Amino acid sequence: MGSTDEAPQPKAYPEYWEADVILRDGATAHLRPISPQDKELLQELHSSQSQDSIYLRFFSYKPQLSERELERFTTVDHTDRVCFVLILGGKMIGVGRYDRVSPRVAEVAFMISDHHQGRGIGSILLEHLAAAARENGIDRFTAEVLPENRKMLHVFVEAGYDVSRQFEDGVVMVEFDIDPTEKSLAVMAAREHRAEARSLQQLLTPTTVAVVGASAHADHAGHHAVEAILTGGYTGTLYGVGHTPYEREGLVFVSSLQEIDAAVDLAVIAVPREAVEEAVADCGRVGVRAVVVMTGGYAEDGASGAADQRRLVRIARAAGMRVVGPASLGLMNTDPDVSLNASVLPEMPRRGGLGLFSQSGAVGSMLYGAALRHGVGLSSYLSAGNRADVSGNDLMQYWEDDPGTTVCGLYLQSVGNPRKFSRIARRLSLSKPVIVAKSEVTGLRLPPGHTGRVTQAPPGALDSMFRQAGVIRAATAEELMDIAAITESQPLPASARIAVVSNALALAQLTEDTALRLGLEPVAVDGAVDTSGGAGDAHEAVLTAVRAQLTSGDVDSVVLVLMPVRGLDQRAVAAAVAQEASAADRTTVAVFTGQHGPDAVTTAVLADGHPALPCFDSPGTAMHALARVIGYTAWRSQDQGVVVDPEDFDFDAVEKFLERERRKITGDALYELGVAERNELLGHAGIRVLESVRFHDLEEGVAAAGRLGYPVALKTTDPFLRHRLDLGGVVLNIADEGQLRTAVETMKRTLAGWDVTDFEVQSMAPTGQTVVLRAAEDPLIGPVLSFGMAGDAVNLLDDWAHRVPPLTDRDITRMVRAPKAARKLFGYQGVPPVDTTGLEQLVNRVAFLKDRFPEIAFLELNPVVLSGSVLTVLSATVKIGDPGQRTDSARRAMLG
C-alpha cells in the first residue's frame, strides 16, 4: 500500500515545512517532504504520466522507475537534497526537488501530474523549495529544461525571479537567485489572493447544496438549515441527506451522498457530534468542494476537542475541501443569482454592500440583528465558529474582488495570521472600507508551530497596526454597525468639513462640541430651524435647511439633529432627506432624539430608488461613527509611499552571518549576541554603534578611556541602571583619568545595593535629543517596530509609536512624528530642532532587519542621540531565535 499524507518516518526537518496549501482553482492539498514510504505513490504518479511528460522530465522515456531510482528519489537528507510532494485525495499530484551542486547553488526539477496541470502546483512547489533552500544556505537555483518544456520555463519566469537562460547542447540552462524580491513577493501575494478568492467564491456561490442531517423534525438543526435555505429563495438545487424521509417542496431527499448524481459544491453538516467526522469524510469521498460544520463541541471544549477539530480539518483538506466552523452559524449570499441562507438565522437580510464576518456565533447573531435594526444591506455573511479553516483573511481576499461588496465588516476574537491580515487589509482598505471590532479579552490563538515565547503585544500596538492598514477600529459590534450604516449607504466624505442642522440650539451646540472634540471641522451650524408651525411647514423648513447645506461648496457632510415636535412626521422627513442627499451626492446622517416605542426611527429609511439614510438616536453616537469614516477617507487619500531599500545594507552578508549564528539557537530560547557579533551584524545593515569598552578592573577602564579619548561617559552594565543618570548609573563628561577613578568609586558607593561590579566606558556623543527604537516578534501581531523618546515618560504614559513592517517611506515619516513627546525633535520651548533624516533612515534599516530576517527576534537601540544632523547609536541589544516562529513567510501555507 502507498503512504498517506502523514508519513510515519521520523521528521528530520522543521515542522513548518509541512503545510496545507490552496491550489489555483480553490481546492486544497497537503505539501510535505518526501518519505521513503512514498515509493509506491511516486511510482503510481510516474506510471500515470504520458510519454511526453516523462521525456520532458528525464530526457528519455522510461515507463517505470527502477527500485534504485525509487530509493534515491524518496531518500533525502533535507539539507543538501530536499524534495516536496503534494498530496490530494491520497494521491501524489506533484513533486519538486533540489540537489545541492555547490555550497550555495542547487539544481531543481519537477514532475506535475498530467491530470492536475494548470492548478498552480509548480509555482507552489518552487516557493517552498526556495524557502527551504535559503534556510540551508543556498541562494541560487539552476535547472536543465528541454526547449519544448514551455510550461516549466514559464514557472520560473512567472515566479518573479530574474531568470537567465542559455542554450547548450539542445538544453536550456536556467539560473536565478532565490532571495525574495519585491517582484517575487508581489507575484506570490497575487497568486495567493487569486487562489483564496476563488476558494471562497466557490463556497459562497454553490449551484448544488446538500444538508447532511436533514430532518422533518422541527427541533433538529438539519430541519432549520433546510427551511432557511428554501425560504431564502435559493436558486440552486438542494438535497437533503438523512435517515428518515423528508418531503418538502424544493428539496430532493436521499439517504446518502452517494445517491446524488450531480457534483455537490457545498455540504451543510448538521448531525450529532459523534457523526460529524464520518459525514465530513463521506463528503470528501464523493468530491464535495466545501463543508459548513454547524455542530459544536470541538476546540471550545478543551484539548481533546481541539485534537478532534484538527483531525477534522486534515480529513477535509486531504480531500481538497474548505471547512467553515465547527460551531458555525452558517453563511449567506444575498446575490439574487444565488440567494443562499445556509444558516440558523431566521431570514435573509436586505441585499446591500456590507460583507460581514464573525468569529463568534453569538456576536455574529448580534451583528445580524444590528444590521436589521440599522437597515444595513448585506452582500454576504459568514460565521466562522471555531475558525478551524476559513478565516477573516479568506473573506477579505474574496471581498476585494466581489463587486457586490462595498464595505467589509469583521468581528475578531483573535488575529490568526497577523502579518497576512495586515498585508491584505492594507490593500483592501485602499478600495473598500474595512471595519473591525476586536475582542480585548479573548486569549491568543497562536498558529501551529509558533513557539509562543514572546508574551503580549505592546499596549496600543494592535490599534497601530489597524491604523497603518487603514482599518476602521470599532469598540463594539454595535459601533461596527453604526459605521457600516454610513459607509454602506453614503458616499465617502471628501474632507472633515461638516454642517449641523437642527431645530434646537442646544442640540446643535452639543453636536458641534462633539465634532470639534473628534477633530472634525463644523463650518456651518444652524440650530434655528423653525418646526413650530404645522406639519407641512415644519417638514419644508427642515428640507430647506438641509438642502442649503447639501448644495454648499464648503460642506462635505451634513448632520441633521431633530428633537421631536408634535405633528412632524420623522419618517417622512428621513425619507425626503435621503432622497435629497442622494441627489446631492453628499454624506448625510440623521439624529432623531427622544425616541421610544415602535414608532422610533432607529433604522435607515429607504427612499424609492435611493440609498438609505443612516439614522441614530443620539448626536454622540452619530458623530463618533462619522468621525471614524472621515478618518478612514483621510487615510485613503494620503500618499501611501513606497518601500525603499536602504543604502549600504548588505543583505547577503546579513544572511550569511545569521546562518552561522543560527547554530547557537537551542529550542525556543533566545540567544543574545555578544558585542563583537552584534556590531558585525548591525554593521552589515549600515548601523554603527559608538564604541564602548566593558571592564571589571579599574586599570583596564583607565587604559580604555585613554585609547578612546577624553571626555568619556561611565556606565554600569546593569541593563536597567545603564540608562539612569538620575539613579547614578551614568556619569557624563569625564574629562581625565582622575575624574574617571573618582567616578568609578562614587558609582560603586551609590549603587552598593545593586551588586554592581562591571562598568563600561564610552566616548562622549554630541548632546541632543535621545530616542529609543525597538523591534520585537509578538505572537499576536508578528514583527513590531516601536519608537519613542528616551526616558520614563515613554513607558509611564505609553507614548510609543508602533508599526508593522514592511514600512514605506511615508510610514516611517509619520512614525517618528507620532509620539506626543516627538514634538521635541522639531523645536520645542527653545530646544533647537534636529534633522530627522538620519533617524528615518535608521528606522528603515531596522525595519528591513526585522522583516527580512525572522531569526532576529529582538533588537533595541537605546539610546540614540540626535544632535543637529548627527545621529549616534550609543547602545544596542540583539537577540536571535528560531525563524520558525514567523507566522507569515515567503511560502504559501494555510493555518489551522
Side-chain angles (χ1 to χ4, degrees):
M1 295 293 292
S3 73
T4 68
D5 54 337
E6 292 185 60
Q9 87 281 6
K11 296 181 180 178
Y13 53 85
E15 182 180 355
Y16 56 84
W17 277 17
E18 290 199 37
D20 292 320
V21 296
I22 301 180
L23 306 181
R24 181 179 295 159
D25 59 1
T28 62
H30 187 68
L31 180 145
R32 59 168 172 80
I34 202 165
S35 151
Q37 285 75 38
D38 287 328
K39 292 178 183 178
E40 188 172 335
L41 283 180
L42 181 59
Q43 187 72 273
E44 183 181 0
L45 169 62
H46 182 92
S47 300
S48 68
Q49 298 291 83
S50 67
Q51 291 187 21
D52 287 344
S53 295
I54 294 174
Y55 176 75
L56 291 176
R57 166 64 180 89
F58 294 100
F59 298 2
S60 64
Y61 176 65
K62 51 177 70 179
Q64 296 282 326
L65 295 173
S66 68
E67 184 61 33
R68 183 176 179 180
E69 288 171 322
L70 287 171
E71 183 70 26
R72 170 171 170 73
F73 290 153
T74 60
T75 304
V76 295
D77 60 11
H78 309 299
T79 304
D80 294 329
R81 300 180 65 243
V82 170
C83 180
F84 288 117
V85 296
L86 266 177
I87 306 294
L88 177 60
K91 302 288 186 180
M92 188 179 293
I93 64 173
V95 183
R97 64 186 309 112
Y98 80 67
D99 291 83
R100 194 190 301 260
V101 295
S102 69
R104 307 198 70 84
V105 179
E107 182 178 3
V108 290
F110 299 86
M111 176 178 280
I112 311 301
S113 168
D114 288 345
H115 304 295
H116 296 273
Q117 294 283 337
R119 305 184 78 179
I121 293 172
S123 63
I124 291 173
L125 288 168
L126 177 59
E127 288 171 14
H128 285 257
L129 279 175
R134 288 192 297 271
E135 291 181 24
N136 288 328
I138 294 168
D139 50 31
R140 191 167 182 81
F141 275 171
T142 67
E144 295 184 359
V145 184
L146 291 173
E148 55 266 41
N149 195 354
R150 295 183 180 88
K151 290 182 179 179
M152 200 68 255
L153 291 172
H154 280 307
V155 167
F156 298 136
V157 174
E158 293 176 359
Y161 297 116
D162 186 11
V163 178
S164 66
R165 288 184 283 187
Q166 186 174 348
F167 191 75
E168 294 181 6
D169 298 327
V171 175
V172 179
M173 307 297 295
V174 176
E175 289 192 52
F176 53 94
D177 289 334
I178 58 174
D179 285 337
T181 64
E182 186 174 347
K183 182 179 178 181
S184 67
L185 291 174
V187 167
M188 186 185 73
R191 285 174 171 163
E192 176 187 65
H193 166 72
R194 289 193 298 268
E196 293 179 357
R198 175 67 175 160
S199 178
L200 267 290
Q201 182 186 35
Q202 293 172 347
L203 176 68
L204 288 164
T205 60
T207 56
T208 305
V209 175
V211 176
V212 180
S215 172
H217 296 286
D219 57 345
H220 285 202
H223 178 85
H224 292 299
V226 168
E227 291 301 314
I229 293 171
L230 291 176
T231 58
Y234 177 52
T235 60
T237 303
L238 177 64
Y239 290 90
V241 182
H243 299 299
T244 54
Y246 182 10
E247 294 186 5
R248 173 72 160 84
E249 184 179 356
L251 176 71
V252 180
F253 185 82
V254 294
S255 59
S256 71
L257 286 165
Q258 284 74 14
E259 296 179 33
I260 301 175
D261 294 331
V264 177
D265 300 308
L266 176 68
V268 179
I269 309 296
V271 299
R273 167 76 162 77
E274 61 273 11
V276 170
E277 188 170 306
E278 179 56 31
V280 171
D282 206 23
C283 288
R285 283 189 284 267
V286 300
V288 174
R289 300 189 74 100
V291 295
V292 175
V293 181
M294 292 184 167
T295 310
Y298 285 88
E300 71 272 28
D301 281 356
S304 176
D308 291 345
Q309 179 172 297
R310 289 192 294 271
R311 185 168 61 251
L312 197 70
V313 172
R314 285 198 299 270
I315 292 170
R317 288 180 176 174
M321 297 189 298
R322 299 302 307 266
V323 179
V324 178
S328 167
L329 294 187
L331 55 84
M332 291 180 178
N333 186 348
T334 63
D335 184 341
D337 292 336
V338 181
S339 193
L340 175 64
N341 179 14
S343 78
V344 300
L345 301 175
E347 62 181 279
M348 286 279 279
R350 176 177 70 84
R351 169 70 174 169
L354 175 63
L356 199 57
F357 170 87
S358 176
Q359 188 174 334
S360 161
V363 175
S365 179
M366 184 170 65
L367 283 170
Y368 166 82
L372 294 180
R373 288 194 305 276
H374 284 73
V376 178
L378 299 187
S379 62
S380 55
Y381 165 86
L382 188 142
S383 163
N386 293 352
R387 201 188 60 183
D389 177 17
V390 173
S391 70
N393 287 344
D394 293 305
L395 261 292
M396 289 195 294
Q397 299 275 40
Y398 166 76
W399 287 332
E400 185 175 358
D401 293 342
D402 179 31
T405 299
T406 57
V407 181
C408 310
L410 303 97
Y411 175 81
L412 303 176
Q413 292 175 301
S414 58
V415 183
N417 190 330
R419 280 167 58 81
K420 185 174 180 179
F421 174 90
S422 177
R423 174 165 46 85
I424 297 172
R426 184 165 190 161
R427 189 181 67 237
L428 178 58
S429 293
L430 289 172
S431 59
K432 302 178 182 183
V434 178
I435 314 165
V436 172
K438 166 71 177 67
S439 170
E440 298 286 5
V441 297
T442 303
L444 303 180
R445 172 179 180 250
L446 302 185
H450 196 291
T451 63
R453 52 181 168 73
V454 183
T455 54
Q456 292 280 340
L462 185 62
D463 278 340
S464 294
M465 182 189 79
F466 286 156
R467 284 193 297 272
Q468 181 185 349
V471 170
I472 306 172
R473 175 75 184 267
T476 64
E478 194 71 29
E479 187 182 25
L480 184 155
M481 205 55 63
D482 291 339
I483 299 167
I486 299 175
T487 53
E488 192 265 337
S489 67
Q490 300 296 300
L492 294 174
S495 75
R497 299 175 304 172
I498 70 167
V500 180
V501 176
S502 180
N503 63 346
L505 182 61
L507 287 177
Q509 291 175 337
L510 175 62
T511 305
E512 180 183 19
D513 290 344
T514 304
L516 290 169
R517 190 170 66 253
L518 294 171
L520 306 184
E521 303 174 29
V523 297
V525 180
D526 180 3
V529 178
D530 186 3
T531 55
S532 60
D537 291 341
H539 185 103
E540 186 58 35
V542 172
L543 284 184
T544 299
V546 169
R547 193 179 296 120
Q549 300 303 333
L550 287 172
T551 56
S552 169
D554 297 328
V555 171
D556 290 303
S557 301
V558 176
V559 182
L560 173 64
V561 186
L562 292 180
M563 62 176 288
V565 176
R566 185 181 300 276
L568 182 64
D569 186 340
Q570 294 178 329
R571 291 188 181 277
V573 168
V577 169
Q579 187 168 351
E580 294 282 349
S582 177
D585 197 31
R586 287 284 190 277
T587 309
T588 307
V589 300
V591 179
F592 297 101
T593 63
Q595 300 183 88
H596 58 86
D599 294 329
V601 187
T602 57
T603 62
V605 177
L606 291 174
D608 291 343
H610 295 283
L613 176 72
C615 299
F616 300 87
D617 57 10
S618 78
T621 301
M623 295 312 299
H624 275 83
L626 181 59
R628 296 297 179 90
V629 176
I630 290 173
Y632 162 71
T633 57
W635 174 88
R636 199 164 92 167
S637 64
Q638 71 186 8
D639 179 12
Q640 299 297 319
V642 294
V643 177
V644 180
D645 285 1
E647 297 180 0
D648 303 323
F649 193 119
D650 192 335
F651 290 93
D652 289 339
V654 172
E655 181 65 45
K656 292 174 183 177
F657 172 88
L658 291 171
E659 286 175 19
R660 184 188 74 208
E661 294 295 315
R662 195 181 293 146
R663 305 188 203 101
K664 301 176 183 178
I665 301 171
T666 56
D668 294 346
L670 298 184
Y671 171 75
E672 182 172 347
L673 298 181
V675 173
E677 291 80 8
R678 175 206 70 188
N679 289 345
E680 180 183 351
L681 171 65
L682 296 180
H684 293 321
I687 301 172
R688 177 179 176 272
V689 181
L690 187 64
E691 184 182 1
S692 62
V693 179
R694 293 194 174 193
F695 64 92
H696 177 77
D697 181 82
L698 178 56
E699 298 307 318
E700 295 176 358
V702 169
R707 180 176 63 82
L708 294 173
Y710 290 98
V712 297
L714 176 70
K715 307 174 187 178
T716 175
T717 57
D718 182 278
F720 173 71
L721 292 172
R722 61 180 288 105
H723 303 300
R724 298 302 299 265
L725 181 67
D726 56 330
L727 296 180
V730 181
V731 180
L732 304 177
N733 289 310
I734 299 173
D736 54 37
E737 178 182 333
Q739 288 186 15
L740 176 60
R741 292 180 181 275
T742 300
V744 170
E745 295 304 320
T746 300
M747 188 174 290
K748 286 181 177 179
R749 291 194 301 270
T750 303
L751 304 179
W754 293 79
D755 191 28
V756 171
T757 59
D758 291 335
F759 303 89
E760 184 177 301
V761 65
Q762 187 175 45
S763 298
M764 283 295 300
T767 58
Q769 301 291 332
T770 55
V771 301
V772 181
L773 184 59
R774 182 181 300 153
E777 190 81 20
D778 187 271
L780 181 62
I781 298 179
V784 180
L785 259 68
S786 303
F787 168 77
M789 303 299 292
D792 286 343
V794 68
N795 290 318
L796 290 173
L797 303 178
D798 188 26
D799 192 23
W800 289 95
H802 307 287
R803 295 292 187 275
V804 174
L807 301 183
T808 68
D809 51 356
R810 299 304 299 159
D811 288 333
I812 294 170
T813 298
R814 296 179 186 116
M815 182 181 187
V816 300
R817 289 158 176 77
K820 294 181 177 63
R823 291 174 58 191
K824 296 196 297 183
L825 298 176
F826 305 96
Y828 180 71
Q829 293 187 343
V831 177
V834 299
D835 183 355
T836 58
T837 302
L839 175 60
E840 293 177 17
Q841 292 173 349
L842 181 67
V843 172
N844 194 32
R845 295 176 189 280
V846 173
F848 267 85
L849 279 171
K850 192 71 192 79
D851 185 50
R852 295 286 184 89
F853 304 100
E855 294 92 342
I856 300 176
F858 180 83
L859 189 158
E860 182 177 82
L861 307 180
N862 181 20
V864 178
V865 180
L866 305 174
S867 180
S869 61
V870 177
L871 178 147
T872 310
V873 180
L874 296 184
S875 181
T877 301
V878 180
K879 299 178 182 180
I880 61 174
D882 178 10
Q885 60 162 322
R886 181 62 59 85
T887 58
D888 185 25
S889 60
R891 53 164 72 87
R892 280 179 281 172
M894 303 167 69
L895 296 179

